Amino acid sequence: MSKRGELRRSQLLAAAANRFWRQGFGNTSLADIASDANVPLGNVYYYFKTKQDIAAGVADIFVAETETMLREVAQAEADPRRRVQALIRRLSESNRSRVERGCPIALAARDFSEAAPAAARRAASAFELLIGFIGRELQRTGARPSIALSRAREIIVEWQGGIALAHALEDPTILAEAMRRAEQKLLQSNYQ
């Protein structure tokens, strides 16, 4: 595909991700996506045969962005606890948009599940990447694998639960408190 074609494809995926996040997969039409991307509707089919293909592309974006973030955190910090703290800080950078709209990854995993189940699973794998990263880093601090995995899940549950409740109640302090609790879980010293 040419550079211009890649740009158009990226524009369509960005527009779709934004629309899916704002109004849901089922309520978004190909015409909405094309309009938001400034691409003629007929050209959408050159890049994607179905809306399910677009969902798969959006899920791939979530995974790629998560992988990039984890790589950057790993490169920036050598200490395992600091790496997880840095990750929590990075996740907190999007608190405002999460309070306003919820988590785009969680919404995709839910919204894609009936019409595009493979895309739903792919979107959810971003959570698996986060849990795996945190678990491995906690193991590096001496935690047993089962404890490290449990703590990693607790941190992600705290984050996602905070997003859900903060979004529902339109209260950013709920998410800020959840992120502080996530960091406290990290700092708990009894991993054995």
Side-chain angles (χ1 to χ4, degrees), residues 41-75:
L41 178 58
N43 289 8
V44 171
Y45 296 102
Y46 176 76
Y47 302 101
F48 303 99
K49 300 296 180 209
T50 65
K51 194 163 89 169
Q52 289 77 5
D53 292 338
I54 295 173
V58 168
D60 287 341
I61 289 172
F62 295 149
V63 170
E65 288 177 349
T66 301
E67 289 170 337
T68 298
M69 177 178 54
L70 294 176
R71 248 189 330 275
E72 290 171 357
V73 166
Q75 290 170 353

Side-chain angles (χ1 to χ4, degrees), residues 1 13 22 24 26 29 39 66 78 88 92 113 134 137 140 147 151 161 169-170 175 178 185:
M1 189 175 294
L13 288 174
R22 285 193 342 239
S29 69
V39 173
T66 301
I88 292 170
S92 295
S113 64
I134 295 168
E137 294 305 315
R140 290 181 60 218
I147 299 295
R151 287 268 194 253
L169 299 178
E170 299 177 353
L175 183 51
K185 288 180 188 308

Side-chain angles (χ1 to χ4, degrees), residues 131-132 134-136 138-139 143-158 185-186 188 191:
I131 291 167
I134 295 168
R136 285 187 301 279
L138 294 180
Q139 284 182 54
R144 290 188 315 228
S146 61
I147 299 295
L149 178 60
S150 178
R151 287 268 194 253
R153 287 177 178 158
E154 287 174 10
I155 289 169
I156 298 303
V157 165
E158 194 68 59
K185 288 180 188 308
L186 168 67
Q188 291 172 350
Y191 287 136

Side-chain angles (χ1 to χ4, degrees), residues 53-104:
D53 292 338
I54 295 173
V58 168
D60 287 341
I61 289 172
F62 295 149
V63 170
E65 288 177 349
T66 301
E67 289 170 337
T68 298
M69 177 178 54
L70 294 176
R71 248 189 330 275
E72 290 171 357
V73 166
Q75 290 170 353
E77 293 289 343
D79 178 75
R81 278 204 174 108
R82 285 194 182 135
R83 279 184 174 174
V84 178
Q85 286 176 312
L87 175 60
I88 292 170
R89 281 192 303 275
R90 286 286 298 267
L91 295 174
S92 295
E93 291 173 2
S94 63
N95 279 2
R96 183 177 174 192
S97 63
R98 299 306 192 256
V99 171
E100 291 174 5
R101 297 184 189 166
C103 177

